[in-house]
Amino acid sequence: MTRDRHAADDAATWVHRLDQPAMDTAAGAAFDRWMDADARHRDDFADMQALWHSDALAEALRAHAVATPPRTVAAPLVRRFRPARYAMAACAALVAIGLATPALLTTTYRAGHGAGRSVTLADGSRVDLSGDAELRVRLLPWRRDATLAQGEAFFDIHHEADRPFTVHSGSTDVRVLGTAFNVDRQADDRITVQVYRGAVSLDSAHGEQVVLRMGQGARVVADRLAAKPAAFDLTQHRAPDWRSGWFEASDVPMGVLVDKVRRYADQPIRFADPALADRRVSGRFRISDPDRVLGAIRAAYGAEVRRNGEEIVITSNEAAHD
């Protein structure tokens, strides 16, 4: 068996043993040694323990029973099925039908086009998602992980000193214990973070790390910290601009601005020339009013904006008049 299968089998066995009314000292010591033998055992055990008391396991077993010839689930065999063997069979059922425990423990939240969404996580944390955002959350007994796959999210994290919360976005990690902060995934290699309460540790793929405190923000571009932490005015910005339909751009690619407008536009938007998406823009834009932003792009940045019935196309003035 592969390492994953071995680990799942062992974790299932330990979950079953720890569920018994009593366990002797020797078994407890053996469990401690198993947990210490590999850092991944903690996650394996947490995954299986969470499944053990969830509907997901019952569903997996039902699916396995349907796919198994009737003779293998005959009554006499069920009566002889001891708890320990049930533990291993349950684990085998999960593997047999292709269910990975991390996937079962991960909840995905998506916000529709043009509208945000607020969700309350099982630990009491609250997350506000921008339009067209996707967030995947995995809560374990000793850590909490979230992946911002696209869009923007404002996190208000419930404080748990022994269970840190980490947000992964692209190759950037934001680690917190209890705070309120915003993560904007502007591209796979372009992330901005602003802290509204508490503090976070921002880690880039190149090993750079910076601590951001309340009223500070930073940007990671091309997997590197783009600059030192910069202060923003909390009296003027009590919440992220996107929650009120705005975006404040400071020397960012036009493509970042247009991506935010896409959350609200009634048609797809594309650049006829990809190089135009790299043109730098600055200003404060009401992204919830796409026509207004597209008009500003036309007026200030030498671009033409055309609707062809199916989509909105942004071209340079030179290309438009060729």
Side-chain angles (χ1 to χ4, degrees):
M1 290 190 294
T2 66
R3 182 263 164 200
D4 288 343
R5 176 67 181 274
H6 276 301
D9 287 350
D10 290 344
T13 299
W14 279 117
V15 170
H16 168 69
R17 293 183 70 176
L18 292 174
D19 267 355
Q20 303 311 302
M23 187 172 72
D24 59 36
T25 304
F31 174 67
D32 289 340
R33 288 194 298 272
W34 179 77
M35 290 286 275
D36 292 338
D38 189 327
R40 293 173 293 182
H41 287 173
R42 293 169 63 91
D43 290 344
D44 296 330
F45 179 79
D47 290 345
M48 190 59 69
Q49 185 179 50
L51 276 175
W52 210 251
H53 303 98
S54 73
D55 293 338
L57 177 60
E59 181 61 31
L61 289 171
R62 281 195 295 270
H64 184 58
V66 169
T68 304
R71 62 183 178 82
T72 65
V73 293
L77 291 181
V78 172
R79 286 195 294 270
R80 294 196 300 269
F81 208 46
R82 292 180 297 178
R85 291 181 181 175
Y86 178 82
M88 302 307 293
C91 175
L94 292 171
V95 176
I97 63 174
L99 294 175
T101 54
L104 285 171
L105 294 173
T106 299
T107 302
T108 299
Y109 302 95
R110 295 184 179 89
H113 179 72
R117 179 185 179 188
S118 295
V119 297
T120 300
L121 307 182
D123 66 348
S125 300
R126 177 187 171 94
V127 184
D128 293 335
L129 299 174
S130 71
D132 285 339
E134 180 177 318
L135 181 73
R136 297 189 287 269
V137 178
R138 186 169 178 241
L139 302 179
L140 298 175
W142 39 77
R143 80 166 189 260
R144 298 168 289 174
D145 292 293
T147 298
L148 183 62
Q150 65 185 49
E152 196 163 356
F154 178 74
F155 298 84
D156 193 343
I157 301 303
H158 178 68
H159 177 73
E160 294 186 24
D162 297 326
R163 193 161 66 140
F165 195 109
T166 303
V167 179
H168 311 281
S169 189
S171 58
T172 301
D173 292 340
V174 183
R175 294 183 290 113
V176 303
L177 288 176
T179 188
F181 61 100
N182 191 74
V183 179
D184 182 4
R185 181 169 181 155
Q186 298 176 351
D188 288 348
D189 63 350
R190 186 183 183 90
I191 313 295
T192 65
V193 178
Q194 289 183 310
V195 178
Y196 290 80
R197 188 183 70 250
V200 306
S201 173
L202 180 63
D203 302 326
S204 75
H206 288 277
E208 301 164 305
Q209 184 181 79
V210 63
V211 174
L212 301 178
R213 306 192 184 280
M214 185 173 68
Q216 291 184 318
R219 180 186 300 166
V220 176
V221 178
D223 298 333
R224 290 189 177 277
L225 286 169
K228 294 181 179 180
F232 63 95
D233 189 351
L234 281 171
T235 62
Q236 298 294 322
H237 302 279
R238 297 181 182 275
D241 282 344
W242 67 263
R243 293 174 68 183
S244 56
W246 288 87
F247 172 55
E248 188 163 334
S250 178
D251 191 35
V252 302
M254 188 184 295
V256 170
L257 172 60
V258 170
D259 277 344
K260 294 181 181 298
V261 173
R262 286 189 178 107
R263 300 175 187 171
Y264 301 93
D266 57 3
Q267 290 181 300
I269 305 175
R270 70 174 177 87
F271 288 95
D273 178 4
L276 189 58
D278 295 328
R279 186 170 297 178
R280 317 302 285 189
V281 300
S282 295
R284 186 168 168 79
F285 301 89
R286 183 179 283 279
I287 54 176
S288 59
D289 187 345
D291 288 339
R292 186 173 177 179
V293 177
L294 294 173
I297 289 175
R298 180 188 298 112
Y301 294 100
E304 287 292 329
V305 179
R306 294 181 175 177
R307 295 177 182 266
N308 63 15
E310 297 181 352
E311 62 181 357
I312 300 170
V313 182
I314 302 175
T315 63
S316 64
N317 275 329
E318 295 80 3
H321 293 96
D322 284 346

